[in-house]
Amino acid sequence: MSALTLDKPPTRADTPTRRTDRTGLLLGVAKRLLTALFVLLCTATVAFFLVRLSGDPVKILLPPDATAEQEQVLRHSLGLDQSLISQYLDYLWGLLHLDFGDSLVYGQPVSEILADRLPATIELAAAALAVTLVIAIPAGIVAGMRRGRGTDNTVMTGVLLGQSTPPFWVGILLILVFAVWLRALPASGYGTFANLVLPAVTLAVYSVAVVARLLRSSLIDVLSCDHIRSARAKGFGPLQVVLRHGLRNASLPVVTVVGLEVGNLLGGAILTERVFSWPGVGQLTVEAISNRDFPLVQATVLFFAATFVVVNLLVDLSYSFLDPRVRTSR
């Protein structure tokens, strides 16, 4: 019997555990996807009913001397003479087929209008994110390594200014300095790298402050851990210790904030695009609200909400790759 027992092939005792982990991970992803869909449904519903509290778009689309009959004809052609519930059900049915309706002002499908404006917003947000990472990560690392010194105080002073300064005021100040006084960069426009510099910097100022401050705080906590002391005892230099052993452990909260800042950059682009006349979704949203363009407002609000939901989902899933403890706890 003992020989038979010894001749049995070894089994992988951890297979049930791995299957359980995979099942739990898949269930967690499915739960988050359902939550995301529910959030988008709630956002679409709130946007649909709130936008109709702004007034009647027929009054804007027709001239002031239009007759009541002309208003009624236009209202019927736009489907605004139906009951609110009927309009809402038609709207949800269209969303199921990815049909956002036609713009009341432009007379074109909303999806086509968004497709035309979306590249400009993505370009601006990507440039602002690049500026954020290029400035905030080195600043946070230097401030964390030189805590309490002059460099740290300088970085924290810049962080305080960046978090307390309104973005639109930063944009106006940059226009005044670089476009009016120095005449080095254009104050508005789209299509060249020079047009992108001032809007990207304006949009990135707040994000730079948030990311740098959080990275500094997280890095200070990590540098006091035992494994960092062990790395220093092995003879690693300060920068090598931070880059090889400290930065990854300090990156988890930073990744969370960077993910949130991606959504904030897209949402915050509304004011920045307005200041610099940038032809993106933010500028389009302001125009749609002013014109009471119901389908266009609903689509832009849903776009910003979907951006936040998707980014948060991706950040949540990335935890498993950055921290094994998160992976095993799922």
Side-chain angles (χ1 to χ4, degrees):
M1 293 294 294
S2 58
L4 292 176
T5 303
L6 292 175
D7 292 338
K8 288 179 63 177
T11 58
R12 298 181 61 181
D14 59 341
T15 300
T17 303
R18 292 187 178 183
R19 290 178 179 176
T20 302
D21 292 341
R22 292 175 182 175
T23 303
L25 181 60
L26 292 177
L27 289 176
V29 172
K31 185 184 298 184
R32 285 167 175 78
L33 288 175
L34 291 177
T35 303
L37 291 177
F38 177 74
V39 170
L40 292 179
L41 176 62
C42 294
T43 302
T45 302
V46 172
F48 176 87
F49 287 102
L50 284 183
V51 73
R52 279 157 177 76
L53 298 177
S54 62
D56 189 1
V58 174
K59 301 292 185 181
I60 296 180
L61 297 175
L62 290 177
D65 57 348
T67 63
E69 183 180 358
Q70 290 175 326
E71 293 182 1
Q72 187 64 28
V73 170
L74 180 59
R75 190 173 288 106
H76 176 72
S77 64
L78 298 176
L80 298 177
D81 58 339
Q82 301 178 9
S83 65
L84 199 59
I85 299 300
S86 298
Q87 296 181 44
Y88 176 65
L89 294 177
D90 291 339
Y91 173 59
L92 292 183
W93 179 254
L95 289 182
L96 290 176
H97 297 81
L98 298 180
D99 181 11
F100 300 100
D102 295 336
S103 170
L104 303 182
V105 175
Y106 297 99
Q108 300 176 356
V110 170
S111 57
E112 294 182 2
I113 300 175
L114 283 178
D116 292 337
R117 297 292 190 99
L118 189 57
T121 296
I122 293 178
E123 179 183 351
L124 178 58
L129 181 61
V131 172
T132 298
L133 297 179
V134 167
I135 298 177
I137 292 179
I141 292 175
V142 171
M145 293 177 60
R146 304 181 65 84
R147 179 185 180 185
R149 302 180 183 179
T151 306
D152 182 27
N153 294 331
T154 302
V155 171
M156 293 309 296
T157 301
V159 165
L160 180 62
L161 291 175
Q163 287 187 297
S164 59
T165 306
F168 69 89
W169 187 85
V170 174
I172 295 174
L173 183 63
L174 291 178
I175 291 175
L176 181 63
V177 174
F178 292 98
V180 178
W181 293 349
L182 300 179
R183 298 185 181 275
L185 295 169
S188 61
Y190 172 72
T192 65
F193 178 78
N195 297 123
L196 181 62
V197 173
L198 293 184
V201 173
T202 300
L203 193 58
V205 167
Y206 180 81
S207 298
V208 168
V210 171
V211 175
R213 181 175 185 176
L214 183 62
L215 180 57
R216 170 191 177 273
S217 177
S218 181
L219 196 58
I220 289 175
D221 293 337
V222 171
L223 291 179
S224 62
C225 295
D226 293 336
H227 70 282
I228 298 296
R229 298 191 186 98
S230 300
R232 288 171 176 167
K234 293 178 181 179
F236 292 112
L239 185 60
Q240 192 175 11
V241 168
V242 171
L243 296 180
R244 293 186 58 180
H245 302 279
L247 190 58
R248 180 174 180 178
N249 294 331
S251 64
L252 192 59
V254 176
V255 168
T256 303
V257 171
V258 169
L260 295 175
E261 286 304 309
V262 171
N264 290 333
L265 289 176
L266 290 171
I270 294 178
L271 291 177
T272 304
E273 290 180 5
R274 190 66 173 175
V275 171
F276 292 94
S277 299
W278 190 265
V281 179
Q283 178 83 345
L284 181 66
T285 303
V286 176
E287 296 172 358
I289 294 174
S290 302
N291 296 326
R292 297 176 188 169
D293 196 338
F294 293 166
L296 197 52
V297 174
Q298 294 164 182
T300 54
V301 170
L302 196 59
F303 163 74
F304 290 124
T307 301
F308 273 98
V309 168
V310 171
V311 170
N312 287 336
L313 179 62
L314 293 177
V315 169
D316 193 17
L317 295 178
S318 68
Y319 289 168
S320 300
F321 301 97
L322 292 174
D323 194 342
R325 294 170 299 179
V326 178
R327 190 184 316 161
T328 56
S329 64
R330 288 174 182 249

